[in-house]
Structures are given as structure tokens and as C-alpha cells.
Amino acid sequence: MGQRVIILALIAVVSVLACIREGQAASIRIASVDAPHLPQYFIMNWKMFATSNSTAVPPWGPVPPVPYKQGTGSTYYDWTQERMLEVYDDFCVPIFEQGSSWRCHFLNVNHASYLLTWGTTTQPTCCIFAQPLSPPA
């Protein structure tokens, strides 16, 4: 498990450095953030459900109404460094107009959220998704 975390962190750092080198990073505005209500650091594996049924409003039972798809992912959270990595293993979070059938990561570091993509997508392989943005406290 520890080796996987290190590899994911290295991939994320290299990808973000590539973004910055390509000039895609803007100046960073630092927002003040209160101390966390969550543990200072944790790793969590989770399941995600997405449905195209627009009348199905959460909360659902154990799964949403059909049609739905299920994916897995992980969150790596470290408040001491104010960093968080969200890994979407099967499909990206379904918030994009073009769909979400590709894998993605969100790296929150230096008060910015970077979107890293893999697979067939019209999204860039690395971009600033939101700024300023910090991991939740």
C-alpha cells in the first residue's frame, strides 16, 4: 500500500510540474483555511455511483435507481501539508459535458486543484480545475 501511495504521489507531482512548465498554471491566491474537522491525514477507498436518471435525487438506498454505473476510487488526505489526491479508478466524476468514461485524478496542492486525465477524453492531460481551492477541513 505504501509503495502505491508513493508512486501515485510521484506521478501527480510530475504531472503538475509538467503543467506549470507548460505555462498552464496561473498565480496562486492563498485563502485562509481553518484547522480540519477531519483527521489530520488518512487514506480512504470508496465506491461511487452515478446515474443518468435525472429524477433520482439522493439519498438512495444501497444503490441508485437504474440506470446507474458503479466505480471505485481512493482519497489520500494530508492536512499537515494541505494536500489531497482523489483517484477515480473506473470513470471520472460525472460533472463534465463530454461525459466521464475516462480515468482521472484531482490533486489539491498549493491552494489549487489540478485535473489529471487518462484515456479517451477531450480534456487536457493536466490543467488547473479550480483556484483557489484547498482540501476540505
Side-chain angles (χ1 to χ4, degrees):
M1 180 67 137
Q3 186 178 13
R4 180 177 180 218
V5 171
I6 291 170
I7 291 169
L8 287 173
L10 287 174
I11 290 169
V13 168
V14 168
S15 297
V16 169
L17 289 175
C19 285
I20 293 169
R21 190 171 40 249
E22 292 172 14
Q24 294 178 0
S27 63
I28 297 173
R29 296 181 312 164
I30 298 176
S32 73
V33 180
D34 294 332
H37 299 282
L38 299 169
Q40 283 197 325
Y41 43 87
F42 62 85
I43 298 173
M44 177 176 62
N45 298 316
W46 39 264
K47 292 180 184 176
M48 175 175 68
F49 296 91
T51 180
S52 58
N53 184 341
S54 61
T55 61
V57 179
W60 306 301
V63 296
V66 293
Y68 72 88
K69 61 183 178 177
Q70 177 181 336
T72 60
S74 304
T75 299
Y76 303 86
Y77 178 89
D78 184 350
W79 178 258
T80 63
Q81 300 293 316
E82 293 188 40
R83 296 178 182 162
M84 181 174 71
L85 175 65
E86 293 178 299
V87 176
Y88 293 83
D89 296 324
D90 305 299
F91 57 91
C92 196
V93 61
I95 58 173
F96 299 97
E97 234 176 67
Q98 305 88 349
S100 63
S101 59
W102 32 275
R103 294 181 57 228
C104 73
H105 295 179
F106 286 91
L107 176 64
N108 296 294
V109 63
N110 294 331
H111 303 282
S113 179
Y114 295 88
L115 170 64
L116 310 167
T117 63
W118 288 268
T120 306
T121 177
T122 58
Q123 298 293 329
T125 56
C126 178
C127 67
I128 293 178
F129 180 73
Q131 188 178 33
L133 186 75
S134 293

